[in-house]
Coordinates of all heavy atoms in Angstrom, one line a residue:
M25 N -16.9 2.8 -18.5 CA -16.2 2.4 -19.7 C -16.9 1.2 -20.2 O -17.2 0.2 -19.6 CB -14.8 2.2 -19.4 CG -13.9 1.7 -20.4 SD -13.2 2.9 -21.7 CE -12.7 4.3 -20.7
D26 N -17.1 1.2 -21.6 CA -17.7 0.1 -22.3 C -16.8 -1.1 -22.4 O -15.7 -1.0 -23.1 CB -18.1 0.5 -23.7 CG -18.8 -0.5 -24.4 OD1 -19.1 -1.6 -23.9 OD2 -19.2 -0.3 -25.6
S27 N -16.9 -2.2 -21.7 CA -16.0 -3.3 -21.6 C -15.9 -4.0 -23.0 O -14.9 -4.7 -23.2 CB -16.4 -4.2 -20.5 OG -17.7 -4.8 -20.8
A28 N -16.9 -3.9 -23.8 CA -16.8 -4.5 -25.1 C -16.1 -3.7 -26.2 O -15.9 -4.1 -27.3 CB -18.2 -4.9 -25.6
K29 N -15.8 -2.4 -25.9 CA -15.2 -1.5 -26.9 C -13.8 -2.0 -27.2 O -13.1 -2.4 -26.3 CB -15.2 -0.1 -26.4 CG -14.6 0.9 -27.4 CD -14.8 2.3 -26.9 CE -14.3 3.2 -28.0 NZ -14.3 4.6 -27.7
K30 N -13.5 -2.0 -28.5 CA -12.1 -2.5 -28.9 C -11.2 -1.3 -29.1 O -11.6 -0.2 -29.6 CB -12.3 -3.3 -30.2 CG -13.0 -4.6 -30.0 CD -12.8 -5.5 -31.2 CE -13.5 -6.8 -31.0 NZ -12.8 -7.8 -30.3
Y31 N -9.9 -1.5 -28.7 CA -8.9 -0.5 -28.9 C -7.7 -1.1 -29.7 O -7.5 -2.2 -29.6 CB -8.4 0.0 -27.5 CG -9.4 0.7 -26.7 CD1 -10.2 0.1 -25.8 CD2 -9.6 2.1 -26.9 CE1 -11.2 0.8 -25.1 CE2 -10.6 2.8 -26.3 CZ -11.3 2.1 -25.3 OH -12.3 2.8 -24.6
L32 N -7.1 -0.2 -30.5 CA -6.0 -0.7 -31.2 C -4.8 -0.7 -30.3 O -4.5 0.3 -29.7 CB -5.8 0.3 -32.4 CG -4.7 -0.1 -33.4 CD1 -5.1 -1.4 -34.1 CD2 -4.4 1.0 -34.4
V33 N -4.1 -1.8 -30.3 CA -3.0 -2.0 -29.4 C -1.8 -2.4 -30.3 O -2.0 -3.3 -31.1 CB -3.2 -3.1 -28.4 CG1 -2.0 -3.3 -27.5 CG2 -4.4 -2.8 -27.5
K34 N -0.6 -1.7 -30.2 CA 0.5 -2.0 -31.1 C 1.7 -2.3 -30.3 O 2.0 -1.7 -29.2 CB 0.7 -0.8 -32.0 CG 1.9 -0.9 -32.9 CD 2.2 0.3 -33.7 CE 3.4 0.1 -34.6 NZ 3.8 1.3 -35.4
N35 N 2.5 -3.3 -30.7 CA 3.8 -3.6 -30.2 C 4.8 -2.6 -30.6 O 5.1 -2.5 -31.8 CB 4.1 -5.0 -30.5 CG 5.6 -5.4 -30.0 OD1 6.2 -4.6 -29.3 ND2 6.0 -6.6 -30.2
R36 N 5.3 -1.8 -29.7 CA 6.3 -0.8 -30.2 C 7.7 -1.2 -29.9 O 8.7 -0.5 -30.1 CB 6.0 0.5 -29.5 CG 6.2 0.6 -28.0 CD 6.0 1.9 -27.5 NE 6.0 2.0 -26.1 CZ 6.1 3.1 -25.5 NH1 6.1 4.3 -26.1 NH2 6.1 3.1 -24.2
S37 N 7.9 -2.4 -29.4 CA 9.2 -2.9 -29.0 C 9.9 -3.6 -30.2 O 9.2 -3.9 -31.2 CB 9.2 -3.8 -27.8 OG 8.7 -5.1 -28.2
A38 N 11.2 -3.9 -30.1 CA 11.9 -4.6 -31.1 C 11.7 -6.1 -31.1 O 12.2 -6.8 -31.9 CB 13.4 -4.2 -31.1
G39 N 11.1 -6.6 -30.0 CA 10.9 -8.0 -29.8 C 9.5 -8.4 -29.7 O 8.6 -7.5 -29.7
M40 N 9.2 -9.7 -29.6 CA 7.8 -10.2 -29.5 C 7.3 -9.9 -28.1 O 8.1 -10.1 -27.1 CB 7.8 -11.7 -29.8 CG 6.4 -12.2 -29.8 SD 6.2 -13.9 -30.5 CE 7.1 -14.8 -29.3
V41 N 6.1 -9.5 -27.9 CA 5.4 -9.3 -26.6 C 4.3 -10.3 -26.5 O 3.5 -10.5 -27.4 CB 4.8 -7.9 -26.5 CG1 4.0 -7.7 -25.2 CG2 5.9 -6.8 -26.6
V42 N 4.3 -11.0 -25.4 CA 3.3 -12.1 -25.1 C 2.8 -11.9 -23.7 O 3.5 -11.5 -22.8 CB 4.0 -13.5 -25.2 CG1 3.0 -14.6 -24.8 CG2 4.7 -13.8 -26.5
Y43 N 1.4 -12.0 -23.7 CA 0.8 -12.0 -22.3 C -0.2 -13.1 -22.2 O -0.8 -13.5 -23.3 CB 0.3 -10.7 -21.9 CG -0.9 -10.1 -22.7 CD1 -2.2 -10.5 -22.6 CD2 -0.7 -9.1 -23.7 CE1 -3.3 -10.0 -23.3 CE2 -1.7 -8.6 -24.4 CZ -3.0 -9.0 -24.3 OH -4.1 -8.5 -25.0
R44 N -0.5 -13.5 -21.0 CA -1.5 -14.5 -20.8 C -2.5 -14.0 -19.6 O -2.0 -13.4 -18.7 CB -0.9 -15.8 -20.3 CG -0.1 -16.6 -21.3 CD 0.5 -17.9 -20.8 NE -0.5 -18.7 -20.2 CZ -0.4 -19.3 -19.0 NH1 0.8 -19.2 -18.4 NH2 -1.4 -20.0 -18.5
I45 N -3.7 -14.4 -19.8 CA -4.7 -14.1 -18.8 C -5.4 -15.4 -18.6 O -6.5 -15.8 -19.3 CB -5.7 -13.0 -19.2 CG1 -5.0 -11.7 -19.7 CG2 -6.7 -12.7 -18.1 CD1 -5.8 -10.6 -20.3
P46 N -5.0 -16.2 -17.6 CA -5.4 -17.6 -17.4 C -6.9 -17.6 -17.1 O -7.6 -18.6 -17.6 CB -4.6 -18.1 -16.3 CG -3.5 -17.2 -16.2 CD -3.8 -15.9 -16.7
E47 N -7.4 -16.7 -16.4 CA -8.8 -16.7 -15.9 C -9.8 -16.8 -17.1 O -10.9 -17.3 -17.0 CB -9.2 -15.5 -15.1 CG -8.4 -15.3 -13.9 CD -7.1 -14.6 -14.1 OE1 -7.1 -13.5 -14.8 OE2 -6.1 -15.1 -13.6
I48 N -9.5 -16.2 -18.2 CA -10.4 -16.2 -19.4 C -9.7 -17.0 -20.6 O -10.3 -16.9 -21.7 CB -10.7 -14.7 -19.8 CG1 -9.5 -13.9 -20.1 CG2 -11.6 -14.1 -18.8 CD1 -9.8 -12.5 -20.5
G49 N -8.6 -17.6 -20.3 CA -8.0 -18.5 -21.3 C -7.4 -17.8 -22.6 O -7.5 -18.3 -23.7
I50 N -6.8 -16.6 -22.3 CA -6.3 -15.8 -23.5 C -4.8 -15.8 -23.4 O -4.2 -15.6 -22.3 CB -6.8 -14.3 -23.4 CG1 -8.2 -14.4 -23.8 CG2 -6.0 -13.4 -24.3 CD1 -8.9 -13.0 -23.9
R51 N -4.2 -16.0 -24.5 CA -2.7 -15.9 -24.7 C -2.6 -15.1 -26.0 O -3.0 -15.5 -27.1 CB -2.0 -17.2 -24.8 CG -0.6 -17.0 -25.0 CD 0.1 -18.4 -25.1 NE 1.6 -18.3 -25.1 CZ 2.3 -18.1 -26.1 NH1 1.8 -17.9 -27.4 NH2 3.7 -18.0 -26.0
R52 N -1.9 -13.9 -25.9 CA -1.7 -13.1 -27.1 C -0.3 -12.9 -27.4 O 0.5 -12.7 -26.5 CB -2.4 -11.7 -26.9 CG -3.8 -11.7 -27.0 CD -4.4 -10.5 -27.7 NE -5.8 -10.4 -27.5 CZ -6.7 -10.8 -28.4 NH1 -6.3 -11.4 -29.5 NH2 -7.9 -10.7 -28.1
E53 N 0.1 -12.9 -28.7 CA 1.4 -12.7 -29.1 C 1.4 -11.4 -30.1 O 0.5 -11.4 -31.0 CB 2.0 -13.8 -29.9 CG 2.2 -15.1 -29.1 CD 2.8 -16.2 -29.8 OE1 3.0 -16.1 -31.1 OE2 2.9 -17.2 -29.2
F54 N 2.2 -10.5 -29.9 CA 2.4 -9.4 -30.8 C 3.8 -9.4 -31.3 O 4.8 -9.3 -30.6 CB 2.2 -8.0 -30.0 CG 0.8 -7.7 -29.5 CD1 0.3 -8.3 -28.4 CD2 0.0 -6.9 -30.3 CE1 -0.9 -8.0 -27.9 CE2 -1.3 -6.6 -29.8 CZ -1.7 -7.1 -28.7
M55 N 4.0 -9.5 -32.6 CA 5.3 -9.4 -33.2 C 5.7 -7.9 -33.3 O 4.8 -7.1 -33.2 CB 5.2 -10.0 -34.6 CG 4.9 -11.5 -34.7 SD 6.0 -12.5 -33.7 CE 7.5 -12.4 -34.5
P56 N 7.0 -7.6 -33.5 CA 7.4 -6.2 -33.5 C 6.6 -5.5 -34.5 O 6.5 -5.9 -35.7 CB 8.9 -6.3 -33.9 CG 9.3 -7.6 -33.4 CD 8.1 -8.6 -33.6
G57 N 6.0 -4.3 -34.1 CA 5.2 -3.5 -35.0 C 3.8 -4.0 -35.3 O 3.1 -3.3 -35.9
E58 N 3.4 -5.1 -34.8 CA 2.1 -5.7 -35.1 C 1.0 -5.0 -34.2 O 1.2 -4.6 -33.1 CB 2.1 -7.2 -34.8 CG 0.7 -7.8 -35.1 CD 0.7 -9.3 -34.7 OE1 1.6 -9.8 -34.0 OE2 -0.2 -10.0 -35.2
S59 N -0.1 -4.7 -34.8 CA -1.3 -4.1 -34.2 C -2.5 -5.1 -34.2 O -2.6 -5.9 -35.1 CB -1.7 -2.8 -34.9 OG -0.7 -1.9 -34.8
K60 N -3.3 -5.1 -33.1 CA -4.5 -5.9 -32.9 C -5.5 -5.1 -32.2 O -5.2 -4.2 -31.4 CB -4.2 -7.1 -32.1 CG -3.2 -8.1 -32.7 CD -3.0 -9.3 -31.9 CE -2.0 -10.2 -32.6 NZ -1.8 -11.5 -31.9
K61 N -6.8 -5.3 -32.5 CA -7.9 -4.8 -31.7 C -8.2 -5.7 -30.5 O -8.3 -6.9 -30.7 CB -9.1 -4.6 -32.7 CG -8.9 -3.6 -33.7 CD -10.1 -2.8 -33.9 CE -9.8 -1.7 -34.9 NZ -10.5 -0.5 -34.7
V62 N -8.2 -5.0 -29.3 CA -8.4 -5.8 -28.1 C -9.6 -5.1 -27.3 O -9.6 -3.9 -27.2 CB -7.1 -5.7 -27.3 CG1 -7.2 -6.5 -26.0 CG2 -5.9 -6.4 -28.1
D63 N -10.4 -5.9 -26.7 CA -11.5 -5.4 -25.9 C -11.0 -4.8 -24.6 O -10.0 -5.2 -24.1 CB -12.4 -6.5 -25.4 CG -13.2 -7.2 -26.5 OD1 -13.4 -6.6 -27.6 OD2 -13.7 -8.3 -26.3
F64 N -11.7 -3.7 -24.2 CA -11.3 -3.1 -22.9 C -11.3 -4.0 -21.8 O -10.4 -4.0 -21.0 CB -12.2 -1.8 -22.7 CG -11.8 -1.1 -21.4 CD1 -10.7 -0.3 -21.3 CD2 -12.5 -1.4 -20.2 CE1 -10.3 0.3 -20.2 CE2 -12.1 -0.8 -19.0 CZ -11.0 0.0 -19.0
D65 N -12.2 -4.9 -21.8 CA -12.3 -5.9 -20.7 C -11.0 -6.7 -20.6 O -10.5 -7.0 -19.5 CB -13.5 -6.8 -20.9 CG -13.8 -7.7 -19.8 OD1 -13.8 -7.3 -18.6 OD2 -13.9 -9.0 -20.0
E66 N -10.5 -7.1 -21.7 CA -9.2 -7.9 -21.7 C -8.0 -7.0 -21.2 O -7.3 -7.4 -20.4 CB -8.9 -8.4 -23.1 CG -7.6 -9.2 -23.2 CD -7.4 -9.7 -24.6 OE1 -8.4 -10.0 -25.4 OE2 -6.3 -9.8 -25.0
L67 N -8.0 -5.7 -21.6 CA -7.0 -4.8 -21.2 C -7.1 -4.6 -19.7 O -6.0 -4.6 -18.9 CB -7.1 -3.5 -21.9 CG -6.7 -3.5 -23.4 CD1 -7.0 -2.2 -24.0 CD2 -5.3 -4.0 -23.7
E68 N -8.3 -4.5 -19.2 CA -8.5 -4.3 -17.7 C -8.0 -5.6 -16.9 O -7.4 -5.4 -16.0 CB -10.0 -4.1 -17.4 CG -10.3 -3.7 -16.1 CD -11.7 -3.2 -15.9 OE1 -12.6 -4.0 -16.4 OE2 -12.0 -2.3 -15.2
K69 N -8.3 -6.7 -17.4 CA -7.8 -8.0 -16.8 C -6.3 -8.0 -16.9 O -5.7 -8.4 -16.0 CB -8.5 -9.2 -17.4 CG -10.0 -9.3 -17.0 CD -10.6 -10.5 -17.7 CE -12.0 -10.8 -17.2 NZ -12.9 -9.8 -17.0
L70 N -5.7 -7.6 -18.0 CA -4.3 -7.6 -18.1 C -3.6 -6.7 -17.1 O -2.6 -7.0 -16.6 CB -3.8 -7.2 -19.5 CG -2.3 -7.0 -19.8 CD1 -1.6 -8.3 -19.6 CD2 -2.1 -6.5 -21.2
A71 N -4.3 -5.6 -16.8 CA -3.8 -4.6 -15.8 C -3.6 -5.2 -14.4 O -2.7 -4.8 -13.6 CB -4.7 -3.3 -15.8
Y72 N -4.4 -6.2 -14.1 CA -4.3 -6.9 -12.9 C -3.4 -8.1 -12.8 O -3.2 -8.7 -11.8 CB -5.7 -7.3 -12.4 CG -6.5 -6.1 -12.0 CD1 -7.6 -5.6 -12.8 CD2 -6.3 -5.4 -10.9 CE1 -8.3 -4.6 -12.5 CE2 -7.0 -4.2 -10.5 CZ -8.0 -3.8 -11.4 OH -8.7 -2.7 -11.0
Q73 N -2.8 -8.4 -14.0 CA -1.8 -9.6 -14.0 C -0.4 -9.0 -13.6 O -0.2 -7.8 -13.9 CB -1.7 -10.1 -15.5 CG -3.0 -10.7 -16.0 CD -3.4 -11.9 -15.2 OE1 -2.6 -12.8 -14.9 NE2 -4.6 -12.0 -14.8
P74 N 0.4 -9.8 -13.0 CA 1.7 -9.4 -12.6 C 2.5 -8.9 -13.9 O 2.6 -9.6 -14.9 CB 2.4 -10.7 -12.1 CG 1.3 -11.5 -11.6 CD 0.1 -11.2 -12.6
G75 N 2.9 -7.6 -13.8 CA 3.6 -7.0 -15.0 C 2.8 -6.5 -16.1 O 3.2 -6.0 -17.1
G76 N 1.4 -6.6 -16.0 CA 0.5 -6.2 -17.0 C 0.6 -4.8 -17.3 O 0.6 -4.3 -18.5
R77 N 0.6 -4.0 -16.3 CA 0.6 -2.5 -16.5 C 1.9 -2.1 -17.1 O 2.0 -1.2 -17.9 CB 0.4 -1.8 -15.2 CG -1.1 -1.7 -14.8 CD -1.4 -0.7 -13.7 NE -2.8 -0.5 -13.5 CZ -3.5 -1.2 -12.7 NH1 -3.0 -2.2 -12.0 NH2 -4.8 -1.0 -12.6
E78 N 3.0 -2.8 -16.7 CA 4.3 -2.4 -17.3 C 4.4 -2.8 -18.7 O 4.9 -2.0 -19.5 CB 5.5 -3.2 -16.5 CG 6.8 -2.9 -17.0 CD 7.9 -3.6 -16.3 OE1 7.7 -4.3 -15.3 OE2 9.1 -3.5 -16.9
L79 N 3.8 -3.9 -19.1 CA 3.7 -4.2 -20.6 C 3.0 -3.2 -21.3 O 3.5 -2.7 -22.4 CB 3.0 -5.6 -20.8 CG 3.8 -6.8 -20.6 CD1 2.8 -8.0 -20.8 CD2 4.9 -6.9 -21.6
M80 N 1.9 -2.7 -20.8 CA 1.1 -1.7 -21.5 C 1.8 -0.3 -21.5 O 1.7 0.5 -22.5 CB -0.3 -1.6 -20.9 CG -1.2 -2.8 -21.2 SD -2.9 -2.6 -20.6 CE -2.7 -2.9 -18.9
A81 N 2.6 0.0 -20.5 CA 3.2 1.3 -20.4 C 4.5 1.3 -21.2 O 4.9 2.3 -21.8 CB 3.5 1.7 -19.0
E82 N 5.2 0.2 -21.2 CA 6.6 0.2 -21.8 C 6.7 -0.4 -23.2 O 7.6 -0.1 -24.0 CB 7.6 -0.5 -20.9 CG 7.6 0.2 -19.5 CD 8.2 1.5 -19.5 OE1 9.0 1.8 -20.3 OE2 7.8 2.3 -18.7
Y83 N 5.9 -1.4 -23.5 CA 6.1 -2.2 -24.7 C 4.9 -2.1 -25.7 O 5.1 -2.4 -26.9 CB 6.3 -3.7 -24.3 CG 7.6 -3.8 -23.5 CD1 7.4 -3.9 -22.1 CD2 8.8 -3.8 -24.0 CE1 8.6 -4.0 -21.3 CE2 9.9 -3.9 -23.2 CZ 9.8 -4.0 -21.8 OH 10.9 -4.1 -21.1
L84 N 3.8 -1.8 -25.2 CA 2.6 -1.7 -26.1 C 2.1 -0.2 -26.2 O 2.2 0.4 -25.2 CB 1.4 -2.6 -25.6 CG 1.8 -4.1 -25.5 CD1 0.6 -4.8 -24.8 CD2 2.0 -4.7 -26.9
I85 N 1.4 0.1 -27.2 CA 0.8 1.4 -27.3 C -0.7 1.2 -27.5 O -1.1 0.4 -28.3 CB 1.3 2.2 -28.6 CG1 2.8 2.6 -28.4 CG2 0.4 3.5 -28.7 CD1 3.3 3.3 -29.6
I86 N -1.4 1.8 -26.6 CA -2.9 1.7 -26.7 C -3.3 3.1 -27.2 O -3.1 4.1 -26.5 CB -3.5 1.4 -25.3 CG1 -3.0 0.1 -24.8 CG2 -5.1 1.4 -25.4 CD1 -3.3 -0.2 -23.4
N87 N -3.9 3.2 -28.4 CA -4.2 4.4 -29.0 C -5.5 5.1 -28.5 O -6.5 5.4 -29.3 CB -4.3 4.3 -30.5 CG -2.9 4.1 -31.1 OD1 -2.0 4.7 -30.6 ND2 -2.8 3.3 -32.1
A88 N -5.7 5.2 -27.2 CA -6.8 5.9 -26.6 C -6.5 6.4 -25.2 O -6.3 5.6 -24.3 CB -8.0 4.8 -26.5
E89 N -6.5 7.7 -25.1 CA -6.2 8.4 -23.8 C -7.2 8.0 -22.7 O -6.8 7.7 -21.6 CB -6.3 9.9 -24.0 CG -5.2 10.5 -24.8 CD -4.0 11.0 -24.0 OE1 -4.1 11.0 -22.7 OE2 -3.1 11.4 -24.6
D90 N -8.5 7.9 -23.1 CA -9.5 7.5 -22.0 C -9.2 6.1 -21.5 O -9.4 5.9 -20.3 CB -10.9 7.6 -22.6 CG -11.2 6.7 -23.8 OD1 -10.2 6.4 -24.6 OD2 -12.3 6.3 -24.1
A91 N -8.8 5.2 -22.3 CA -8.6 3.8 -21.9 C -7.4 3.8 -21.0 O -7.3 3.1 -19.9 CB -8.4 2.8 -23.0
L92 N -6.3 4.5 -21.3 CA -5.1 4.6 -20.5 C -5.4 5.2 -19.2 O -4.9 4.7 -18.2 CB -4.1 5.4 -21.3 CG -3.5 4.7 -22.5 CD1 -2.7 5.7 -23.3 CD2 -2.6 3.5 -22.1
D93 N -6.2 6.2 -19.2 CA -6.6 6.8 -17.9 C -7.4 5.9 -17.0 O -7.1 5.7 -15.8 CB -7.4 8.1 -18.1 CG -6.6 9.2 -18.7 OD1 -5.3 9.2 -18.6 OD2 -7.2 10.1 -19.3
E94 N -8.3 5.2 -17.5 CA -9.2 4.2 -16.9 C -8.3 3.0 -16.3 O -8.6 2.6 -15.3 CB -10.3 3.7 -17.8 CG -11.3 2.8 -17.1 CD -12.3 3.6 -16.3 OE1 -12.5 4.8 -16.5 OE2 -12.9 2.9 -15.4
L95 N -7.3 2.7 -17.0 CA -6.5 1.5 -16.6 C -5.4 2.0 -15.7 O -4.6 1.1 -15.1 CB -5.8 0.9 -17.8 CG -6.8 0.2 -18.8 CD1 -6.1 -0.2 -20.1 CD2 -7.3 -1.1 -18.2
G96 N -5.2 3.2 -15.5 CA -4.1 3.8 -14.6 C -2.7 3.6 -15.1 O -1.8 3.4 -14.4
I97 N -2.7 3.7 -16.5 CA -1.3 3.6 -17.1 C -0.7 5.0 -17.2 O -1.2 5.9 -17.8 CB -1.4 3.1 -18.6 CG1 -2.2 1.7 -18.5 CG2 -0.1 2.9 -19.2 CD1 -1.5 0.6 -17.8
R98 N 0.4 5.1 -16.5 CA 1.2 6.4 -16.5 C 2.0 6.4 -17.8 O 2.6 5.4 -18.1 CB 2.1 6.5 -15.2 CG 1.3 6.6 -13.9 CD 2.1 6.9 -12.8 NE 2.8 8.2 -13.0 CZ 4.1 8.4 -12.5 NH1 4.7 7.5 -11.8 NH2 4.6 9.6 -12.7
R99 N 2.1 7.5 -18.4 CA 2.9 7.6 -19.6 C 3.6 9.0 -19.7 O 3.1 10.0 -19.3 CB 2.1 7.4 -20.8 CG 0.9 8.3 -21.0 CD -0.4 7.6 -21.3 NE -1.5 8.5 -21.3 CZ -2.5 8.5 -20.4 NH1 -2.4 7.8 -19.3 NH2 -3.5 9.4 -20.5
E100 N 4.7 9.0 -20.3 CA 5.5 10.2 -20.5 C 5.2 10.6 -22.0 O 4.5 9.8 -22.7 CB 7.0 9.8 -20.5 CG 7.5 9.4 -19.1 CD 7.3 10.3 -18.0 OE1 7.4 11.5 -18.3 OE2 7.0 9.9 -16.9
P101 N 5.5 11.9 -22.3 CA 5.2 12.3 -23.7 C 5.8 11.4 -24.8 O 5.2 11.3 -25.8 CB 5.8 13.7 -23.7 CG 5.9 14.2 -22.3 CD 6.0 12.9 -21.5
E102 N 6.9 10.7 -24.5 CA 7.5 9.8 -25.4 C 6.7 8.6 -25.7 O 7.0 7.9 -26.7 CB 8.9 9.4 -24.9 CG 9.9 10.5 -24.7 CD 9.8 11.3 -23.4 OE1 9.0 10.8 -22.5 OE2 10.5 12.3 -23.4
Y103 N 5.7 8.3 -24.9 CA 4.8 7.1 -25.1 C 4.2 7.2 -26.5 O 4.1 6.1 -27.1 CB 3.7 7.2 -24.1 CG 2.7 6.0 -24.2 CD1 3.0 4.8 -23.6 CD2 1.6 6.1 -24.9 CE1 2.2 3.7 -23.6 CE2 0.7 5.1 -25.0 CZ 1.0 3.9 -24.4 OH 0.2 2.8 -24.4
W104 N 3.9 8.4 -27.0 CA 3.2 8.5 -28.3 C 4.1 8.5 -29.5 O 3.7 8.6 -30.6 CB 2.3 9.7 -28.3 CG 1.3 9.7 -27.1 CD1 1.4 10.4 -26.0 CD2 0.2 8.9 -27.1 NE1 0.3 10.1 -25.2 CE2 -0.5 9.1 -25.8 CE3 -0.4 7.9 -27.9 CZ2 -1.6 8.5 -25.4 CZ3 -1.5 7.3 -27.5 CH2 -2.1 7.6 -26.3
M105 N 5.5 8.5 -29.3 CA 6.4 8.6 -30.3 C 6.6 7.3 -31.1 O 6.7 6.3 -30.5 CB 7.8 9.1 -29.8 CG 7.9 10.5 -29.4 SD 9.6 10.8 -28.9 CE 9.6 12.5 -29.0
N106 N 6.6 7.4 -32.4 CA 6.9 6.2 -33.2 C 8.4 6.3 -33.5 O 9.1 7.1 -33.1 CB 6.0 6.2 -34.5 CG 6.3 7.4 -35.4 OD1 7.4 8.0 -35.4 ND2 5.3 7.8 -36.2
E107 N 8.7 5.2 -34.3 CA 10.2 5.0 -34.6 C 10.8 6.3 -35.3 O 11.9 6.7 -34.9 CB 10.4 3.8 -35.5 CG 10.1 2.6 -34.8 CD 8.6 2.2 -34.9 OE1 7.8 3.0 -35.7 OE2 8.1 1.2 -34.4
Q108 N 10.1 6.9 -36.2 CA 10.6 8.1 -37.0 C 10.7 9.2 -36.0 O 11.7 10.0 -36.1 CB 9.7 8.3 -38.1 CG 10.3 9.4 -39.1 CD 11.7 9.0 -39.6 OE1 12.0 7.8 -40.0 NE2 12.7 9.9 -39.6
N109 N 9.8 9.4 -35.1 CA 9.9 10.5 -34.1 C 11.1 10.4 -33.2 O 11.7 11.4 -32.9 CB 8.6 10.6 -33.3 CG 7.3 10.9 -34.1 OD1 6.4 10.3 -33.8 ND2 7.4 11.9 -34.9
V110 N 11.4 9.2 -32.8 CA 12.5 9.0 -31.9 C 13.9 9.3 -32.7 O 14.7 9.9 -32.1 CB 12.5 7.5 -31.4 CG1 13.9 7.2 -30.6 CG2 11.4 7.3 -30.5
I111 N 13.9 8.8 -33.9 CA 15.1 9.1 -34.7 C 15.3 10.6 -34.9 O 16.4 11.2 -34.7 CB 15.1 8.3 -36.0 CG1 15.2 6.9 -35.8 CG2 16.2 8.8 -37.0 CD1 14.9 6.0 -37.0
N112 N 14.2 11.3 -35.2 CA 14.3 12.7 -35.4 C 14.7 13.5 -34.1 O 15.5 14.4 -34.1 CB 12.9 13.2 -35.9 CG 12.9 14.7 -36.2 OD1 13.9 15.2 -36.8 ND2 11.9 15.4 -35.7
L113 N 14.1 13.0 -33.0 CA 14.5 13.6 -31.7 C 16.0 13.4 -31.4 O 16.7 14.3 -31.0 CB 13.7 13.0 -30.5 CG 14.0 13.4 -29.2 CD1 13.7 14.9 -29.0 CD2 13.2 12.7 -28.1
L114 N 16.5 12.2 -31.6 CA 17.9 11.9 -31.4 C 18.8 12.7 -32.3 O 19.9 13.2 -31.9 CB 18.2 10.4 -31.5 CG 17.6 9.5 -30.5 CD1 17.8 8.1 -30.9 CD2 18.2 9.8 -29.1
Q115 N 18.4 13.0 -33.6 CA 19.3 13.6 -34.5 C 19.1 15.2 -34.4 O 20.1 15.8 -34.6 CB 18.9 13.2 -35.9 CG 19.3 11.7 -36.2 CD 18.9 11.3 -37.6 OE1 18.0 11.9 -38.2 NE2 19.5 10.2 -38.1
N116 N 18.0 15.7 -34.1 CA 17.7 17.1 -34.2 C 17.3 17.7 -32.8 O 17.1 19.0 -32.8 CB 16.6 17.4 -35.2 CG 17.0 16.8 -36.6 OD1 18.2 17.0 -37.0 ND2 16.1 16.1 -37.2
G117 N 17.0 16.9 -31.8 CA 16.6 17.5 -30.6 C 17.6 18.3 -29.8 O 18.8 18.1 -30.0
S118 N 17.1 19.2 -29.0 CA 18.0 20.0 -28.2 C 18.2 19.3 -26.8 O 17.4 18.4 -26.5 CB 17.4 21.4 -28.0 OG 16.3 21.3 -27.2
L119 N 19.2 19.6 -26.2 CA 19.5 19.0 -24.8 C 18.6 19.7 -23.8 O 18.2 19.2 -22.8 CB 21.0 19.2 -24.4 CG 21.9 18.4 -25.3 CD1 23.4 18.7 -24.9 CD2 21.7 16.9 -25.2

């Protein structure tokens, strides 16, 4: 995996998401719905921080299957749903 390759990362939660990687002096804030381009190297370092994988699996969307596989991020089909997809599922989905 190219460590300099940038991936689009979006906050899909209703609150602000913040993470720190002290070894490289990074602190990132994502406001609700905000997207940023982040190097794979940074995402890999985040995966080794306490709670880092959970942040990426539950609160952030990384728009690249290959990066998620490389980082070991487990995801359900709902991972890829945006707000409108969730509303549609709740209103029209079958049990």
Side-chain angles (χ1 to χ4, degrees):
M25 180 77 44
D26 181 6
S27 65
K29 185 171 181 183
K30 292 191 179 279
Y31 292 96
L32 187 65
V33 178
K34 180 182 179 184
N35 177 0
R36 67 175 174 171
S37 75
M40 185 168 68
V41 173
V42 178
Y43 65 79
R44 290 183 51 227
I45 307 173
E47 302 84 48
I48 56 176
I50 288 185
R51 181 181 189 274
R52 286 217 194 265
E53 296 180 1
F54 289 82
M55 296 307 289
E58 183 179 13
S59 298
K60 296 180 181 185
K61 292 222 175 213
V62 179
D63 291 342
F64 179 79
D65 186 50
E66 181 177 328
L67 295 173
E68 189 173 41
K69 286 180 175 41
L70 175 59
Y72 290 105
Q73 296 298 311
R77 280 194 173 88
E78 182 181 350
L79 276 179
M80 291 187 279
E82 302 295 328
Y83 301 99
L84 300 172
I85 294 177
I86 301 167
N87 288 326
E89 291 264 356
D90 60 331
L92 291 166
D93 291 340
E94 186 76 22
L95 294 167
I97 306 298
R98 296 188 57 214
R99 60 229 175 251
E100 301 295 327
E102 294 84 8
Y103 181 86
W104 302 106
M105 290 184 157
N106 63 25
E107 296 84 5
Q108 190 58 43
N109 295 133
V110 172
I111 291 168
N112 185 43
L113 178 64
L114 291 172
Q115 292 175 343
N116 305 314
S118 66
L119 294 177

